[in-house]
Amino acid sequence: MGNFGDSVASRIVLIGNKEIKYINNMSVADQKERFKELLDYYTAAIIVTRNNPVPSIMKDLAKKMNFPIFSTVLETQQVTADLISFLNEKLAEEDTKHGVLVTVDGIGVLIIGESGMGKSETALELIRHGHILVADDRVDIQHIHNDLYGHAPELIKGLLEIRGIGIIDVEKMFGVSAIRSRAKIDLVIQLVPFDTHAEYDRIGEKTLEHEEILGIYIPKLILPISAGRNISVLVETAVKHFMLMKTGNGGATIIEERFIKLAGKE
């Protein structure tokens, strides 16, 4: 309480059992001097933990200076952990992607592609299959603890735009279980127009391409789209394929193992 030389301005100060005992051993004059300095510049807020009483001198100074002091029954260690988690989320680096974010079998899938590729219609079909909408059209993405989390802007949360129909309220149409406020992004699926002259992967590589977002590389599958292809079924299949690849059970691995066995018999 008496050394501010190495203190960082605009910090949050936690006062627990040890600090309360120390304060109680200080003289009234010392408390007034130290609290005035503490509340004047160095501190954004003070949190008194473990339901300890706020020192009366500190409380009086806080009222005069309009300074925020909070009290909680939680232990100091728990408050510290909660604050770090909260601030990491609120101060996280952010980006925005044009696309749709859904969870398919618990996997967060960011569907991207040019306008008119059917991203929202795909999301609608996936919702009908029991999967969950997180965001449509615009996905706000945060970098938290080396992972990416996406959510919808408040204005369009829970809404889905379908050309020819308009904006639909997913919760009212399919129930509250059809939407989520946020989801971790595990896989990116990019929808591209089918090109008859392009060469597409027909076996399935062991390693996927990656989409770089906020310095994090997310596995990416590219799906060529043409008339008659059921995109929602392709997305569901792509997710299951992705999950199998993570366990080393993808189709490419199986083909390679069978080829090695057959080659060994010759």
Side-chain angles (χ1 to χ4, degrees):
M1 295 295 293
N3 182 12
F4 294 95
D6 298 325
S7 296
V8 179
S10 301
R11 63 184 179 174
I12 295 175
V13 171
L14 303 183
I15 295 179
N17 288 345
K18 293 181 180 179
E19 290 77 18
I20 289 295
K21 289 179 181 178
Y22 183 83
I23 290 169
N24 290 337
N25 290 327
M26 295 172 63
S27 67
V28 172
D30 282 344
Q31 286 189 43
K32 288 181 178 179
E33 180 183 352
R34 298 293 180 253
F35 289 155
K36 186 175 181 181
E37 190 172 358
L38 185 66
L39 274 59
D40 187 39
Y41 171 72
Y42 288 98
T43 313
I46 290 175
I47 302 176
V48 181
T49 65
R50 296 181 66 93
N51 210 26
N52 282 300
V54 179
S56 58
I57 295 174
M58 180 188 290
K59 187 185 297 185
D60 292 340
L61 281 171
K63 288 181 179 179
K64 291 179 182 179
M65 301 170 68
N66 194 29
F67 182 89
I69 295 179
F70 304 94
S71 180
T72 177
V73 298
L74 298 177
E75 296 183 0
T76 305
Q77 184 177 0
Q78 183 62 54
V79 175
T80 301
D82 290 345
L83 278 174
I84 291 173
S85 178
F86 175 80
L87 292 174
N88 278 341
E89 180 174 336
K90 293 302 179 182
L91 301 178
E93 190 179 3
E94 296 188 359
D95 195 3
T96 296
K97 288 287 184 182
H98 175 67
V100 171
L101 180 58
V102 292
T103 64
V104 179
D105 296 331
I107 300 295
V109 182
L110 176 63
I111 304 174
I112 60 175
E114 298 175 4
S115 181
M117 290 299 299
K119 297 183 294 294
S120 296
E121 289 80 0
T122 301
L124 178 61
E125 188 67 21
L126 289 169
I127 293 167
R128 290 183 66 250
H129 291 180
H131 305 298
I132 302 171
L133 174 72
V134 181
D136 175 51
D137 188 53
R138 170 181 156 180
V139 183
D140 290 343
I141 302 171
Q142 291 181 301
H143 180 184
I144 304 174
H145 301 309
N146 295 321
D147 289 315
L148 297 179
Y149 291 85
H151 64 273
E154 194 64 35
L155 181 64
I156 58 174
K157 186 179 295 185
L159 303 179
L160 193 63
E161 180 188 356
I162 304 297
R163 285 181 174 84
I165 296 178
I167 297 175
I168 65 173
D169 188 323
V170 174
E171 180 179 350
K172 289 181 180 178
M173 189 171 290
F174 297 98
V176 67
S177 62
I179 61 171
R180 275 182 69 176
S181 60
R182 187 177 77 164
K184 180 173 172 285
I185 300 175
D186 301 295
L187 176 66
V188 175
I189 293 180
Q190 182 175 2
L191 307 182
V192 298
F194 189 90
D195 184 353
T196 55
H197 301 291
E199 292 187 7
Y200 297 109
D201 183 10
R202 299 180 63 180
I203 296 178
E205 297 290 342
K206 293 183 187 179
T207 58
L208 302 177
E209 294 188 26
H210 287 81
E211 180 83 6
E212 189 271 328
I213 306 173
L214 295 173
I216 301 294
Y217 290 87
I218 304 296
K220 179 171 74 172
L221 283 168
I222 297 177
L223 289 181
I225 301 304
S226 61
R229 299 199 87 187
N230 191 320
I231 308 177
S232 64
V233 171
L234 290 176
V235 169
E236 288 178 316
T237 304
V239 170
K240 294 182 185 300
H241 174 64
F242 168 67
M243 295 169 69
L244 287 171
M245 287 182 68
K246 289 178 67 176
T247 61
N249 293 306
T253 302
I254 295 172
I255 285 290
E256 182 178 342
E257 290 173 351
R258 290 179 181 177
F259 178 80
I260 292 172
K261 288 181 179 179
L262 288 173
K265 292 179 180 180
E266 294 179 358

